[in-house]
């Protein structure tokens, strides 16, 4: 097996193991929601498990899968990745970082949830570990950008593949976004957790966190979109509706992903209302490329369905190969994302946000987006990628076929009830469901129980995914290692597309930097002008 394939599989292994641990944490939380008396139900256990679930799912499972997909894309582009030895070193560094953070969480030294808001304070190993993961991801970006340049050098008259374009955009977006969290870690959280300073400014920390936190969402979504555009049409038996439109979509995300972070801080004091509104406008603008995506992907699927003999208004939908888990995972992910996308517009609206802020609605929302649009697509992506890379057939294929539908069903129970309960006032991040016997809590009980059923179904689905992956990687029947094949697009000219305006990524990166300066210079300046008191750290457990 080639070295790069080994590197890709190593990343997938970390991803799958993190996913498995995170899913078992979620089961405990789901059972607590069902108003059952369970021995492990305590505040300490709950906040530890929510932290572990959030960090392992949202930061570890996603990042390692995204790196694996990036390496596979770059290898497909040039026959080899740029900086292969360096990439292995970065894998080791990321693994060390994960080990440090996970140790701190599982030994109850970091019950700060995955947003790690100060003044809640964690053990330094938690912050330093996560910082190492970010540094290692920068190394991955270096390998990806060098691969992109190599592809352009080899074929100066041809645009790079759409998947390579998407990967490179994602790296540039990530480099810009992680500046925020790196500043928060290096200048605030790490010195404070080491005891070098005794106070921290929570408002500044939250602002730097969300400078990073919203584009983080797109760091998850862009690889999912890459699969929707570059893999799904071919798997479904059709063609991509438009390659240039897809290229534009990815480039727009580079420009618009970062100047929107204040939509997570509408309720924070100390930030002028006008700037919050400005970030609302930018957020509405960023829904445009997602609407284009919905249109393009559905059009591509319709082409596939009609080529397979589907007729009529909706007959093409039935004609799609739902039995192929790569296709069904992505289709279910897309269906859930439609609901999640509309919910996101509500969260981002300055006035409507106050209705849903800090309620169960928010957790329900991001389980449709990162928890389905990204996570379920990544699972489908594993079913597609791992057999090709490992040279092993997909094992337990029947379970893989059931798994996406089970996830969909679980998410409908879990997330739809969460949205409703949130509108009825159920706060998020609270470990009991009886709220000290409050009368209001009675109204929520039916919904949280239904949501718990959803959690159990999701856990079952997660278990199937892990079983399929482990069985495939350890014991799948041998088959030849296959090259990745991207979907063709309609109207593709002979010899491929020529590079166009949306391919000039350094230009768009410069525009993105200017957008960030416009969106953040004044609010950050204002924060520094406020009288600053700071807060000592709190460790509740
Ligand atoms: Cu956001």
């Amino acid at each position: 097996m080639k070295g790069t394939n080994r590197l890709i599989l190593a990343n997938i292994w970390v991803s799958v193991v993190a996913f498995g641990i995170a899913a078992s944490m979620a089961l405990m939380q789901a059972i607590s929601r069902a108003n059952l008396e369970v021995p492990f139900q305590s505040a300490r256990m709950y906040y530890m498990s929510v932290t572990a679930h959030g960090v392992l799912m949202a930061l570890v499972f996603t990042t390692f899968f995204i790196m694996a997909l990036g390496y596979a894309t770059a290898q497909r582009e040039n026959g080899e990745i740029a900086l292969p030895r360096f990439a292995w070193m970065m894998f080791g560094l990321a693994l060390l970082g994960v080990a440090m953070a996970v140790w701190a969480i599982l030994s109850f030294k970091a019950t700060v949830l995955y947003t790690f808001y100060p003044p809640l304070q964690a053990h330094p190993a938690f912050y330093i570990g996560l910082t190492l993961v970010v540094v290692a991801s920068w190394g991955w970006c270096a390998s990806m950008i060098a691969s992109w340049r190599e592809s352009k050098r080899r074929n100066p008259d041809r645009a790079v593949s759409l998947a390579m374009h998407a990967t490179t955009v994602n790296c540039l977006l990530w480099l810009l976004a992680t500046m925020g969290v790196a500043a928060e870690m290096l200048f605030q959280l790490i010195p404070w957790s080491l005891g070098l300073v005794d106070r921290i400014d929570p408002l500044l920390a939250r602002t730097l966190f969300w400078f990073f936190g919203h584009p983080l969402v797109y760091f998850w979504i862009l690889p999912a979109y890459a699969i929707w555009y570059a893999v799904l049409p071919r798997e479904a038996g059709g063609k991509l509706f438009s390659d240039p439109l897809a290229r534009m979509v990815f480039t727009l995300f580079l420009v618009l992903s970062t100047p929107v972070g204040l939509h997570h801080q509408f309720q924070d004091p100390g930030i002028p209302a006008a700037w919050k509104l400005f970030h609302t406008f930018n957020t509405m603008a960023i829904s445009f490329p997602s609407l284009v995506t919905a249109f393009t992907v559905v059009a591509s699927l319709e082409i596939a369905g009609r080529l397979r003999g589907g007729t009529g208004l909706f007959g093409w939908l039935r004609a799609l190969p739902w039995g192929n888990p790569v296709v069904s995972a992505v289709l279910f992910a897309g269906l859930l994302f439609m609901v999640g996308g509309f919910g996101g517009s509500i969260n981002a609206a300055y006035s409507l946000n106050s209705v849903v802020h800090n309620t169960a609605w928010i957790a329900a929302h991001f389980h449709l987006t990162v928890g389905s649009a990204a996570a379920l697509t990544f699972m489908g992506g594993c079913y597609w990628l791992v057999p090709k890379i490992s040279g092993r057939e997909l094992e337990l294929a029947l379970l893989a076929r059931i798994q996406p539908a089970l996830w969909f069903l679980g998410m409908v129970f879990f997330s739809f009830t969460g949205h409703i309960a949130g509108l009825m006032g159920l706060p998020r991040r609270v470990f009991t469901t009886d709220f000290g016997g409050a009368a209001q809590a009675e109204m929520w009980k039916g919904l949280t129980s239904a949501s718990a059923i959803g959690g159990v179904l999701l856990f079952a689905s997660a278990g199937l995914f892990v079983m399929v992956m482990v069985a495939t990687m350890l014991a799948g029947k041998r088959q030849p290692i296959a090259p990745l094949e991207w979907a063709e697009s309609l109207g593709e000219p002979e010899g491929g597309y020529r590079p166009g305006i949306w391919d000039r990524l350094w230009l768009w990166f410069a525009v993105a930097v200017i957008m960030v300066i416009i969106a953040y210079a004044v609010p950050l300046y204002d924060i520094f002008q406020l009288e600053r008191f700071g807060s000592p750290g709190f460790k509740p457990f």
Side-chain angles (χ1 to χ4, degrees), residues 436-478:
Q440 249 178 329
E442 285 302 313
M443 307 191 311
W444 305 325
K445 274 198 173 150
L447 288 164
T448 54
S449 299
S451 153
I453 296 172
V456 173
L457 294 175
L458 286 167
F459 176 73
S461 174
L464 297 185
F465 168 70
V466 173
M467 278 158 61
V468 171
M469 275 302 109
V470 171
T472 301
M473 289 193 285
L474 291 182
K477 257 195 242 97
R478 295 276 179 191

Side-chain angles (χ1 to χ4, degrees), residues 5 72 75-76 234 384-385 388-389 480-486:
N5 284 346
Q75 176 174 245
R76 168 73 182 76
R234 185 184 192 94
W384 169 77
L385 181 64
K388 293 189 196 309
I389 295 296
I481 290 180
L484 306 188
E485 289 188 88
W486 304 129

Side-chain angles (χ1 to χ4, degrees), residues 284 336-349 352-353 356 361-362 365-366 368-369 419:
M284 295 305 161
L336 293 169
F337 194 41
M338 280 186 206
V339 184
F342 286 115
S345 311
I346 290 169
N347 304 342
L352 283 174
N353 180 276
V356 297
W361 166 290
I362 301 295
H365 163 74
F366 64 67
L368 293 180
T369 49
H419 278 89

Side-chain angles (χ1 to χ4, degrees), residues 216-288:
L216 170 65
V217 170
Y218 287 98
F219 178 68
W220 300 325
I221 286 294
L222 259 53
Y225 280 3
I227 293 173
W228 295 12
Y229 280 121
V231 175
L232 175 68
R234 185 184 192 94
E235 286 289 314
K239 288 188 173 193
L240 172 61
F241 176 71
S242 166
D243 178 294
L245 206 54
R247 239 166 249 271
M248 175 198 78
V249 161
F250 286 110
T251 307
L252 284 179
F253 280 122
L254 172 58
V255 176
L256 290 168
S257 285
T258 312
V260 296
L262 294 185
H263 71 218
H264 293 264
Q265 295 180 274
F266 287 147
Q267 317 299 327
D268 282 15
I271 298 170
W275 288 100
K276 292 177 178 172
L277 188 62
F278 180 60
H279 283 226
T280 290
F281 292 152
N282 286 342
T283 312
M284 295 305 161
I286 207 175
S287 55
F288 171 68

Side-chain angles (χ1 to χ4, degrees), residues 146-165:
S147 298
W148 171 68
R149 292 176 55 132
E150 174 63 17
S151 172
K152 294 205 308 173
R153 195 187 62 76
R154 290 186 187 181
N155 302 295
D157 298 329
R158 207 174 67 204
V160 302
S161 70
L162 182 61
M164 191 72 233
H165 175 76

